[in-house]
Amino acid sequence: MSEKLSAMTTKPTLILNKPYGVLSCFTDELRRPTLAEYISVPDVYAAGRLDLDSEGLLLLTADGMLAHRLTDPEHKLPKVYLVQVERIPDATALDQLRNGVVIRGRTTRPAHIQLLEEPPNFWDRPVPIRFRKSVPTSWLEMTITEGMNRQIRRMTAAVGNPTLRIIRIAIGGLKLGDLMPGEYREVTKDEMKTLFTGF
């Protein structure tokens, strides 16, 4: 394992704070914003993805084995998101999210769900969240170990609390930290170890 880790840490691996409205790729036929506008390191590509309208931690690497570990559902790598939703989920809704909801005929894996008492302090989004005076919003911390298409949005919608904003703050032991949208940094050796030796 140490030889494999040593070999992998020589290849470029980056943490990017992906901005809202940016695709998790380097080219787009429709000329929408892509990673090419933010990443100058050659030969890296996104390991996994964030939707166009999601923000936060995106890992980029030149290492195919690392990318496989990050995206293979068998590894059940935890991913942590802060999620703004419409209304305040009640105990029943929170339990449903924790135990699994049915999305397109498939039940999601158990998830760690926490209703935050105070909203987190984040940067403003370039496209403001829709505001309805009669509908309050709240924030959840959601940790999931799978990556179904638009999973979080479908999970919260299934329990009656549509998602307004998603920010990924961690993948395994890798944390977004204080990176601002569009900023990136290299992953450290200690951080890399958390991806191969547990958390």
Side-chain angles (χ1 to χ4, degrees):
M1 177 65 74
S2 60
E3 291 181 1
K4 181 187 294 185
L5 178 61
S6 177
M8 289 184 175
T9 53
T10 64
K11 300 179 180 180
T13 300
L14 313 172
I15 290 175
L16 167 72
N17 184 344
K18 188 193 84 67
Y20 175 88
V22 175
L23 294 170
S24 297
C25 58
F26 283 87
T27 61
D28 180 57
E29 292 181 354
L30 301 178
R31 298 186 178 180
R32 291 171 293 182
T34 70
L35 301 178
E37 298 181 26
Y38 301 92
I39 302 296
S40 58
V41 178
D43 301 324
V44 297
Y45 56 94
R49 67 184 184 90
L50 280 174
D51 294 330
L52 184 73
D53 49 1
S54 297
E55 308 162 71
L57 195 160
L58 184 67
L59 202 68
L60 298 101
T61 184
D63 192 306
M65 291 182 67
L66 175 58
H68 174 73
R69 181 174 181 85
L70 292 168
T71 57
D72 185 353
E74 291 302 315
H75 290 312
K76 299 182 181 180
L77 197 65
K79 300 176 180 68
V80 186
Y81 301 81
L82 295 184
V83 184
Q84 186 181 17
V85 298
E86 285 189 357
R87 296 180 287 277
I88 301 172
D90 59 20
T92 299
L94 294 174
D95 284 343
Q96 285 180 303
L97 292 172
R98 292 181 180 117
N99 296 325
V101 297
V102 178
I103 298 176
R104 295 185 172 182
R106 176 180 161 193
T107 302
T108 59
R109 290 174 180 164
H112 175 77
I113 309 292
Q114 179 182 353
L115 178 62
L116 301 184
E117 295 183 2
E118 299 289 338
N121 184 24
F122 280 118
W123 54 88
D124 291 333
R125 207 176 74 169
V127 177
I129 300 298
R130 65 180 182 269
F131 175 74
R132 290 192 286 171
K133 190 174 182 179
S134 61
V135 181
T137 69
S138 56
W139 283 84
L140 302 173
E141 181 179 296
M142 300 181 62
T143 303
I144 61 175
T145 57
E146 56 194 336
M148 298 166 62
N149 185 38
R150 298 182 74 80
Q151 178 174 341
I152 287 177
R153 295 180 191 280
R154 291 191 167 115
M155 287 176 70
T156 65
V159 300
N161 298 97
T163 289
L164 299 173
R165 189 178 186 186
I166 297 177
I167 302 171
R168 184 158 63 194
I169 61 170
I171 299 176
L174 306 180
K175 301 185 185 304
L176 182 64
D178 58 3
L179 288 176
M180 294 299 290
E183 293 181 345
Y184 68 89
R185 65 171 177 82
E186 290 192 26
V187 173
T188 68
K189 283 190 176 183
D190 285 342
E191 289 174 323
M192 191 71 72
K193 289 177 184 177
T194 69
L195 296 174
F196 291 91
T197 58
F199 315 101

